[in-house]
Amino acid sequence: MLLLSATFVLVGAATFYGLQHFLHANLRDSLSRRSTQVEQILVKAPADVNNSAIAREIETRVAPEFNNRFVRVTRVPATLVYRSGPPSDRSFDPSAVVDVERTKAIRAGEPATAIVDGQHLMIRTTPVITVSGKYLVELGVSIAPIDAVLDRLLDLLALLLPILIVCAGGGGYWLVSWALRPVDRLSQTAEQMSLQNLTLRLPVEPSGDALERLSISLNNMLGRLRDSVQTSRRFLADASHELRTPLTVIKGELQELTRESDLTKGELRERVGSVLEEVARLEHLVSGLLVLSRLDAGETQGDWVDVDLAELALTTAEQMHLIAEDRGIDIDLSELRKTVIRGDQARLKQIIVNLLDNAIRFTPRGGTVALRTAADDSGSVLEISDTGIGIPPSSIPYVFDRFFRVDEARSREDGGAGLGLSIVKSICTVHGAEIEVDSRPEWGSCFRVRFPRRSITVAPVSAPRSVDFGASSDPEGKVAARVAIDIAENTPELTSKG
Ligand code: ADP
């Protein structure tokens, strides 16, 4: 309203003074033309002309009283030659008109125009030099009609301005509150939202403006938020469920142990071995969860370095060949071609460990697991294929989901918690890599990881040292856990010794 008031006042003042200036300029022009008439009379008069002859000539040619003009002719320095009588409209008193610009006009030798205060007269004073002497011609016109117009304009402005300001202020207030009403509705709905109530959606007004786009974007964001909250809740529920199973077994075993006092040393070892087996499973599960949460937070374990995938695959396979041998599985390393990528070596190794471990576990005795690394136009490829039991087509879309297992009983039996592939997937994401799987039941599976050409999409964040308790070659502890389970299964007396 302040801004509007200032603008209106400025516009009003500009109109008033603009009009005044225009009318006065017009009057000045007409004064100059009339004055020239009187000057001509003086110029043309003979040298011995008398005052009454000049007066007669002016009365005849200019008729000042009739035309409501003021004419005064003075011979310099101060002899009055002629002064017009009162005008027909009585708008001024000729005898009371003071000479306003006389000195200025004489000194400058050229016409000067001024307004006579109190008389509503604009007077032009012109010095004229003739053969009969030096004169001053003062010609005035009433500015009363102009003043009347300007007064009317002023009255109009004084009346209109407050009305305009009140209307503009009220209208502006109404317009702003009308425009902000949808924002109010948005904020009311937003107030009702909480993590428990993420199904609520903000109202979308089909206005086609930024507010509609904002509501749609916020609703999309809420959808994503709800999905991620649901995923977290499901993850928490699944994790609790997975943790409860081995804990129940451990509790049962220990309760039985306390009850049965006459166990032989061998039986005791066997029981403790089975408890240890569950503890190893728990440890495996917890370290898997830890790795996943770190990866979710975008953390990697170590510095990013140049890693030759072929070399990494070779050393990892060598470290795991005992497990494969034990299960009667051949590892084919003939297609390892040097290809260097940039990444976190420990995490990259974990990809190979998890995929190789699955391949060995899900391949029957006598089968083959092949590792292949190669470089192509788009980057580097790591492939781990097996001649194992394969994955049914209906399960393929879910194999990378957390806690998903095709055959839950069998997998759990094997020590798998359904986290291995989701960890692989998360590591791939951190490295900007894509993972895909080709698999058919009874034919085998092939997991293929495609790394982009030396590009890194996610900046690594170093894990805090205080919680760094994964072994560098087996950060998830998967191999260690599996070895522990294998040992527990085959040589209970060893595990019972810890
Ligand atoms: P787990 O730790 O239980 O093995 P993963 O996430 O590694 O969990 O694997 C999920 C499931 O995918 C496994 O339970 C298994 O059913 C299936 N799977 C993974 N790799 C293979 C494979 N090479 N051959 C057959 N099935 C596989």
Side-chain angles (χ1 to χ4, degrees), residues 12 33 35 58 79 94 106 129 132 155 158 163 165 182 216-217 220 234 276 281 297 376 378 385 418 429 483 495:
R33 280 197 304 276
S35 171
I58 294 175
T79 318
I106 295 172
I129 298 170
S132 57
D155 289 348
I163 296 178
I165 290 168
I216 294 174
S217 316
N220 291 343
R234 206 172 40 238
L276 275 176
R281 220 191 291 276
D376 63 17
S378 56
S385 51
T429 308
V483 170
T495 31

Short mmCIF file of all heavy atoms in Angstrom, two decimals, residues 12 33 35 58 79 94 106 129 132 155 158 163 165 182 216-217 220 234 276 281 297 376 378 385 418 429 483 495:
data_model
loop_
_atom_site.label_atom_id
_atom_site.label_comp_id
_atom_site.label_asym_id
_atom_site.label_seq_id
_atom_site.Cartn_x
_atom_site.Cartn_y
_atom_site.Cartn_z
N GLY A 12 -0.05 11.56 -9.73
CA GLY A 12 -0.92 12.73 -9.56
C GLY A 12 -0.12 14.02 -9.71
O GLY A 12 -0.52 14.95 -10.45
N ARG A 33 2.34 36.74 -28.95
CA ARG A 33 1.71 37.22 -30.20
C ARG A 33 0.99 38.56 -29.97
O ARG A 33 1.12 39.50 -30.72
CB ARG A 33 0.73 36.17 -30.72
CG ARG A 33 1.41 35.03 -31.48
CD ARG A 33 0.41 34.25 -32.31
NE ARG A 33 -0.70 33.73 -31.50
CZ ARG A 33 -0.64 32.58 -30.83
NH1 ARG A 33 0.47 31.86 -30.85
NH2 ARG A 33 -1.68 32.18 -30.13
N SER A 35 1.51 40.74 -27.57
CA SER A 35 2.46 41.79 -27.24
C SER A 35 3.08 42.38 -28.51
O SER A 35 3.30 43.59 -28.61
CB SER A 35 3.52 41.20 -26.32
OG SER A 35 4.55 42.10 -26.13
N ILE A 58 -4.07 51.59 -29.50
CA ILE A 58 -4.12 50.30 -28.75
C ILE A 58 -5.57 49.90 -28.52
O ILE A 58 -5.95 48.75 -28.72
CB ILE A 58 -3.35 50.42 -27.41
CG1 ILE A 58 -1.86 50.62 -27.67
CG2 ILE A 58 -3.56 49.17 -26.55
CD1 ILE A 58 -1.02 50.87 -26.44
N THR A 79 7.50 56.98 -17.15
CA THR A 79 6.33 57.79 -17.48
C THR A 79 5.25 56.90 -18.07
O THR A 79 5.48 56.21 -19.06
CB THR A 79 6.72 58.87 -18.54
OG1 THR A 79 7.98 59.40 -18.18
CG2 THR A 79 5.67 59.94 -18.67
N PRO A 94 -6.58 46.76 -12.91
CA PRO A 94 -5.39 47.24 -13.62
C PRO A 94 -4.58 48.25 -12.79
O PRO A 94 -3.35 48.24 -12.87
CB PRO A 94 -5.97 47.91 -14.86
CG PRO A 94 -7.34 47.37 -15.01
CD PRO A 94 -7.83 47.03 -13.66
N ILE A 106 14.52 45.50 -18.77
CA ILE A 106 15.33 46.64 -19.24
C ILE A 106 16.79 46.24 -19.30
O ILE A 106 17.50 46.47 -20.27
CB ILE A 106 15.15 47.87 -18.32
CG1 ILE A 106 13.69 48.36 -18.42
CG2 ILE A 106 16.10 48.99 -18.68
CD1 ILE A 106 13.34 49.45 -17.41
N ILE A 129 12.44 49.75 -28.48
CA ILE A 129 13.12 51.02 -28.81
C ILE A 129 12.55 51.52 -30.13
O ILE A 129 12.55 50.78 -31.13
CB ILE A 129 14.64 50.80 -28.91
CG1 ILE A 129 15.16 50.31 -27.55
CG2 ILE A 129 15.35 52.09 -29.34
CD1 ILE A 129 16.58 49.82 -27.57
N SER A 132 10.53 57.36 -31.37
CA SER A 132 10.04 58.36 -30.42
C SER A 132 10.59 58.13 -29.01
O SER A 132 10.30 58.87 -28.09
CB SER A 132 8.52 58.35 -30.38
OG SER A 132 8.07 57.06 -30.05
N ASP A 155 -8.62 18.85 -6.75
CA ASP A 155 -9.74 18.31 -5.96
C ASP A 155 -10.00 16.85 -6.35
O ASP A 155 -10.18 15.97 -5.50
CB ASP A 155 -11.02 19.11 -6.22
CG ASP A 155 -10.93 20.49 -5.59
OD1 ASP A 155 -9.99 20.69 -4.79
OD2 ASP A 155 -11.76 21.37 -5.92
N ALA A 158 -7.28 14.62 -5.05
CA ALA A 158 -7.39 14.46 -3.59
C ALA A 158 -8.51 13.50 -3.24
O ALA A 158 -8.44 12.78 -2.25
CB ALA A 158 -7.62 15.82 -2.94
N ILE A 163 -9.32 6.84 -2.55
CA ILE A 163 -10.18 5.74 -3.00
C ILE A 163 -9.35 4.69 -3.74
O ILE A 163 -9.46 3.49 -3.49
CB ILE A 163 -11.31 6.28 -3.93
CG1 ILE A 163 -12.20 7.22 -3.13
CG2 ILE A 163 -12.12 5.13 -4.52
CD1 ILE A 163 -13.31 7.85 -3.93
N ILE A 165 -6.15 4.14 -3.48
CA ILE A 165 -5.22 3.45 -2.57
C ILE A 165 -5.96 2.38 -1.77
O ILE A 165 -5.51 1.24 -1.65
CB ILE A 165 -4.52 4.46 -1.65
CG1 ILE A 165 -3.54 5.29 -2.48
CG2 ILE A 165 -3.77 3.77 -0.52
CD1 ILE A 165 -2.99 6.50 -1.78
N PRO A 182 -4.11 -22.01 -1.85
CA PRO A 182 -3.61 -23.37 -2.09
C PRO A 182 -2.37 -23.68 -1.24
O PRO A 182 -2.20 -24.81 -0.78
CB PRO A 182 -3.25 -23.38 -3.57
CG PRO A 182 -3.96 -22.22 -4.16
CD PRO A 182 -4.16 -21.22 -3.09
N ILE A 216 2.88 -31.61 -7.37
CA ILE A 216 3.15 -32.91 -8.00
C ILE A 216 4.54 -33.42 -7.59
O ILE A 216 4.70 -34.58 -7.20
CB ILE A 216 3.04 -32.79 -9.54
CG1 ILE A 216 1.58 -32.49 -9.90
CG2 ILE A 216 3.50 -34.06 -10.22
CD1 ILE A 216 1.34 -32.20 -11.36
N SER A 217 5.54 -32.51 -7.60
CA SER A 217 6.89 -32.95 -7.22
C SER A 217 6.93 -33.41 -5.77
O SER A 217 7.55 -34.43 -5.44
CB SER A 217 7.92 -31.84 -7.35
OG SER A 217 7.75 -31.16 -8.51
N ASN A 220 5.37 -36.78 -5.55
CA ASN A 220 6.30 -37.82 -6.04
C ASN A 220 7.36 -38.11 -4.99
O ASN A 220 7.70 -39.25 -4.72
CB ASN A 220 6.99 -37.35 -7.33
CG ASN A 220 6.01 -37.30 -8.47
OD1 ASN A 220 4.93 -37.89 -8.38
ND2 ASN A 220 6.34 -36.60 -9.52
N ARG A 234 10.69 -53.18 6.10
CA ARG A 234 10.72 -54.59 5.70
C ARG A 234 12.09 -55.18 6.01
O ARG A 234 12.22 -56.27 6.54
CB ARG A 234 10.42 -54.70 4.20
CG ARG A 234 9.82 -56.03 3.83
CD ARG A 234 9.34 -56.11 2.42
NE ARG A 234 10.19 -55.45 1.47
CZ ARG A 234 9.79 -54.47 0.68
NH1 ARG A 234 8.55 -54.02 0.76
NH2 ARG A 234 10.61 -53.91 -0.19
N LEU A 276 28.25 -73.36 18.05
CA LEU A 276 29.24 -72.51 17.34
C LEU A 276 28.84 -72.29 15.90
O LEU A 276 29.03 -71.21 15.33
CB LEU A 276 30.62 -73.18 17.40
CG LEU A 276 31.41 -72.89 18.66
CD1 LEU A 276 32.70 -73.69 18.64
CD2 LEU A 276 31.72 -71.40 18.75
N ARG A 281 26.91 -68.50 11.93
CA ARG A 281 25.85 -68.03 11.05
C ARG A 281 25.42 -66.61 11.43
O ARG A 281 25.24 -65.74 10.58
CB ARG A 281 24.66 -69.00 11.18
CG ARG A 281 23.98 -69.29 9.86
CD ARG A 281 22.69 -70.01 10.10
NE ARG A 281 22.85 -71.37 10.60
CZ ARG A 281 23.07 -72.43 9.79
NH1 ARG A 281 23.21 -72.25 8.50
NH2 ARG A 281 23.19 -73.63 10.29
N ALA A 297 25.14 -46.16 3.18
CA ALA A 297 25.58 -44.81 3.57
C ALA A 297 26.63 -44.27 2.60
O ALA A 297 27.17 -43.20 2.79
CB ALA A 297 26.12 -44.83 4.99
N ASP A 376 36.09 -54.25 -22.87
CA ASP A 376 35.47 -53.95 -24.16
C ASP A 376 35.28 -52.45 -24.29
O ASP A 376 35.76 -51.68 -23.46
CB ASP A 376 34.16 -54.76 -24.36
CG ASP A 376 33.10 -54.39 -23.35
OD1 ASP A 376 33.25 -53.32 -22.71
OD2 ASP A 376 32.13 -55.16 -23.20
N SER A 378 32.88 -50.46 -23.81
CA SER A 378 32.17 -49.70 -22.78
C SER A 378 32.86 -49.75 -21.42
O SER A 378 32.48 -49.04 -20.50
CB SER A 378 30.74 -50.22 -22.66
OG SER A 378 30.78 -51.60 -22.40
N SER A 385 30.57 -67.79 -14.07
CA SER A 385 29.50 -68.68 -14.52
C SER A 385 29.72 -70.07 -13.93
O SER A 385 30.83 -70.44 -13.55
CB SER A 385 29.47 -68.74 -16.03
OG SER A 385 30.75 -69.03 -16.52
N GLY A 418 20.85 -64.83 2.37
CA GLY A 418 20.15 -64.08 1.32
C GLY A 418 20.65 -62.65 1.20
O GLY A 418 19.95 -61.78 0.67
N THR A 429 26.79 -50.65 -7.33
CA THR A 429 26.21 -49.30 -7.41
C THR A 429 27.26 -48.26 -6.99
O THR A 429 27.41 -47.23 -7.65
CB THR A 429 24.98 -49.21 -6.48
OG1 THR A 429 24.13 -50.29 -6.80
CG2 THR A 429 24.25 -47.90 -6.66
N VAL A 483 33.95 -71.28 6.05
CA VAL A 483 35.01 -72.21 6.45
C VAL A 483 34.69 -72.74 7.85
O VAL A 483 34.77 -73.94 8.12
CB VAL A 483 36.39 -71.51 6.41
CG1 VAL A 483 37.46 -72.39 7.05
CG2 VAL A 483 36.77 -71.20 4.97
N THR A 495 36.23 -77.55 16.07
CA THR A 495 35.50 -76.33 16.43
C THR A 495 35.24 -76.26 17.92
O THR A 495 35.22 -75.18 18.49
CB THR A 495 34.15 -76.24 15.69
OG1 THR A 495 33.68 -77.54 15.50
CG2 THR A 495 34.29 -75.49 14.40
#
